[in-house]
Amino acid sequence: MIIDAHSHVHDPVEAHVGLLDEAGVDRAVLFATRPHPERAADLASLRREMAILHEAIGGRAGTAEGYRRAWGELDAALAARPERFIGFLSVPLDLEPEHIAATVEREVIGRGLHGIGELTPPPGRAGVIEPVLQAAADHGRLPVVVHGAAPTTADDLRTLSALAGRYPTVPLVVSQLGGLNWMETVELVRDTPNMYLELSTAGIVFSVRLAIKEIPDRTLFGSDAPYGDPVLARAMVERVTSPGEVRDRVLGGTMAELAGLA
């Protein structure tokens, strides 16, 4: 099974399915989202969507209504194509720990979703995800995905590694190969047994090659669609690997295990 480990709800959903079909991808991990750059028809409308993105990845929590709307879009996509999408859900990070635990219980476990994410803590404050890790630990091996590219800092990535060490039963996935901090991210993930590295938006081919070489059993193919493209992301992985077990794990085997599908 080929699984894109990182994608966001598209409008319309069938456009996303078409991308997966073109890439020969069986299923995709699907995150809720507030921005929709795929809706943009010109530069001005794209700027509006990207302003929402920058607010989100900067850790500025949206309104409760914004979360409900994004969660509703995720629910609709999962209901429309349950055979193609694997639902993960982000949770607000500005709640009290007991409310985060209740949200995970109700909105993730209660909805039958497969993991938590993509979390976007404010830059310099990655430690605020700890209550989410505690809630995930309370439910076994519930994977947690955290935004890894800018504005996430190198200090944030080191904080994530330290937090992962405190919750060894929780698979902690750093997305986007850690952005510009990819070399240190590869080292941190390699040396932290319950951390995983998702490879989307990589701009340098040898970063993907070295990440897979260093962490063959904990690297994940992902596209970050609609910001990236599943065809290109899969081609990058296949360009730097040979047919066989390692490629199969990167392209879906490891993600299937994390999501409880294998």
Side-chain angles (χ1 to χ4, degrees), residues 106-186:
R106 181 181 65 251
E107 304 293 346
V108 179
I109 303 302
R111 294 177 185 220
L113 301 182
H114 294 265
I116 301 171
E118 177 187 17
L119 300 180
T120 54
R125 296 182 55 210
V128 299
I129 76 160
E130 184 164 8
V132 179
L133 296 179
Q134 179 62 68
D138 291 341
H139 294 284
R141 285 182 55 82
L142 190 65
V144 176
V145 180
V146 183
H147 181 82
T152 301
T153 68
D155 281 343
D156 287 325
L157 294 163
R158 289 188 283 270
T159 296
L160 293 176
S161 176
L163 286 172
R166 295 180 204 166
Y167 299 90
T169 64
V170 177
L172 178 59
V173 181
V174 176
S175 66
Q176 296 112 359
L177 225 164
L180 294 178
N181 298 302
W182 68 268
M183 284 189 283
E184 183 169 5
T185 306
V186 168

Side-chain angles (χ1 to χ4, degrees), residues 76-120:
L78 295 173
R81 299 304 296 264
E83 80 285 4
R84 301 305 295 272
F85 296 127
I86 302 164
F88 276 50
L89 194 73
S90 185
V91 298
L93 297 174
D94 56 350
L95 303 176
E96 293 298 320
E98 61 270 21
H99 292 150
I100 287 177
T103 301
V104 170
E105 175 74 33
R106 181 181 65 251
E107 304 293 346
V108 179
I109 303 302
R111 294 177 185 220
L113 301 182
H114 294 265
I116 301 171
E118 177 187 17
L119 300 180
T120 54

Side-chain angles (χ1 to χ4, degrees), residues 2-242:
I2 308 297
I3 301 176
D4 181 344
H6 188 130
S7 71
H8 300 270
V9 173
H10 284 44
D11 180 19
V13 170
E14 289 305 314
H16 190 181
V17 174
L19 292 175
L20 299 177
D21 288 344
E22 187 179 2
V25 172
D26 300 298
R27 304 189 71 176
V29 170
L30 194 63
F31 303 128
T33 184
R34 286 186 287 146
H36 281 283
E38 74 280 5
R39 293 174 179 165
D42 52 30
L43 186 58
S45 56
L46 180 61
R47 284 187 183 279
R48 288 193 292 273
E49 297 296 337
M50 295 304 283
I52 300 171
L53 172 67
H54 292 152
E55 180 180 81
I57 64 175
R60 293 182 289 278
T63 64
E65 174 58 29
Y67 270 100
R68 283 193 293 269
R69 186 164 53 249
W71 289 352
E73 290 178 350
L74 177 66
D75 285 344
L78 295 173
R81 299 304 296 264
E83 80 285 4
R84 301 305 295 272
F85 296 127
I86 302 164
F88 276 50
L89 194 73
S90 185
V91 298
L93 297 174
D94 56 350
L95 303 176
E96 293 298 320
E98 61 270 21
H99 292 150
I100 287 177
T103 301
V104 170
E105 175 74 33
R106 181 181 65 251
E107 304 293 346
V108 179
I109 303 302
R111 294 177 185 220
L113 301 182
H114 294 265
I116 301 171
E118 177 187 17
L119 300 180
T120 54
R125 296 182 55 210
V128 299
I129 76 160
E130 184 164 8
V132 179
L133 296 179
Q134 179 62 68
D138 291 341
H139 294 284
R141 285 182 55 82
L142 190 65
V144 176
V145 180
V146 183
H147 181 82
T152 301
T153 68
D155 281 343
D156 287 325
L157 294 163
R158 289 188 283 270
T159 296
L160 293 176
S161 176
L163 286 172
R166 295 180 204 166
Y167 299 90
T169 64
V170 177
L172 178 59
V173 181
V174 176
S175 66
Q176 296 112 359
L177 225 164
L180 294 178
N181 298 302
W182 68 268
M183 284 189 283
E184 183 169 5
T185 306
V186 168
E187 293 173 336
L188 289 169
V189 172
R190 181 195 62 197
D191 297 338
T192 310
N194 59 313
M195 289 186 80
Y196 294 74
L197 185 59
E198 185 268 312
L199 302 170
S200 66
T201 68
I204 305 173
V205 67
F206 58 75
S207 66
V208 176
R209 179 185 294 116
L210 289 173
I212 294 172
K213 181 178 180 181
E214 293 287 334
I215 327 162
D217 58 341
R218 287 184 285 123
T219 42
L220 307 169
F221 150 64
S223 70
D224 202 5
Y227 304 95
D229 186 284
V231 171
L232 300 179
R234 179 176 178 178
M236 180 86 85
V237 170
E238 293 182 337
R239 180 65 174 169
V240 302
T241 59
S242 300

